[in-house]
């Protein structure tokens, strides 16, 4: 059974930083690309970032490129999202996500993910 447990969400001021973590279990972690998606109030879920299963190749939504960094630790079965220069528009519930298929490629769209956790709230406000 796939389990993805996010942590690290908080209230932060504009311009601040946060690091989200995701602990993964119930599947062979190195078989799957991983990612982060988010959902703001009243809006649909949107793709944020993704990372290939091995090798570290990454892909980002234009809205976060240059500010967010996704990484993974294949020993700890964990995924991280370092978020810098946060803006009020980044306010959302952030979900750790696993790709639907075993693949050596880097996902580039939310449709490529099939499992996600319960989410962690990030609020950017002064």
């Amino acid at each position: 059974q796939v389990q993805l447990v996010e942590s690290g969400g908080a209230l932060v001021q504009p311009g601040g930083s946060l690091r989200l973590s995701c602990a993964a279990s119930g599947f062979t972690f190195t078989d799957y690309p991983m990612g982060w998606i988010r959902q703001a109030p009243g809006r649909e879920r949107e793709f944020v970032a993704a990372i290939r299963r091995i090798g570290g190749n990454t892909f980002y939504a234009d809205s976060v490129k240059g500010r967010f960094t996704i990484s993974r630790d294949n020993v700890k079965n964990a995924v991280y999202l370092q978020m810098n220069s946060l803006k009020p528009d980044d306010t959302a519930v952030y979900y750790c996500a696993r790709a639907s298929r075993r693949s050596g490629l880097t996902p580039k769209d939310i449709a490529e993910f099939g499992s996600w956790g319960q989410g962690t709230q990030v609020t950017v406000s002064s």
Side-chain angles (χ1 to χ4, degrees):
Q1 181 181 357
V2 176
Q3 286 197 321
L4 302 168
V5 180
E6 304 92 338
S7 61
L11 170 64
V12 62
Q13 292 188 339
S17 297
L18 275 178
R19 188 190 194 214
L20 305 183
S21 299
C22 170
S25 62
F27 62 99
T28 303
F29 188 67
T30 51
D31 280 353
Y32 291 88
M34 298 293 295
W36 290 90
I37 58 179
R38 68 185 181 185
Q39 186 167 22
R43 301 181 64 177
E44 294 186 354
R45 289 188 181 186
E46 64 173 348
F47 172 88
V48 175
I51 187 166
R52 197 165 60 182
R53 59 188 184 95
I54 295 174
N57 184 265
T58 57
F59 185 78
Y60 298 92
D62 287 344
S63 58
V64 306
K65 199 174 297 181
R67 300 188 298 122
F68 290 13
T69 302
I70 186 172
S71 61
R72 64 189 291 165
D73 186 328
N74 286 344
V75 174
K76 295 182 178 180
N77 286 6
V79 186
Y80 307 99
L81 186 68
Q82 177 66 43
M83 306 186 294
N84 298 328
S85 302
L86 283 161
K87 306 175 182 179
D89 282 350
D90 294 319
T91 295
V93 177
Y94 284 71
Y95 299 89
C96 176
R98 193 200 76 172
S100 299
R101 300 183 300 162
R102 296 180 179 88
S103 171
L105 302 177
T106 307
K108 295 180 172 59
D109 188 271
I110 192 171
E112 298 182 64
F113 294 97
S115 302
W116 43 84
Q118 294 300 306
T120 186
Q121 176 71 47
V122 173
T123 302
V124 184
S125 175
S126 55

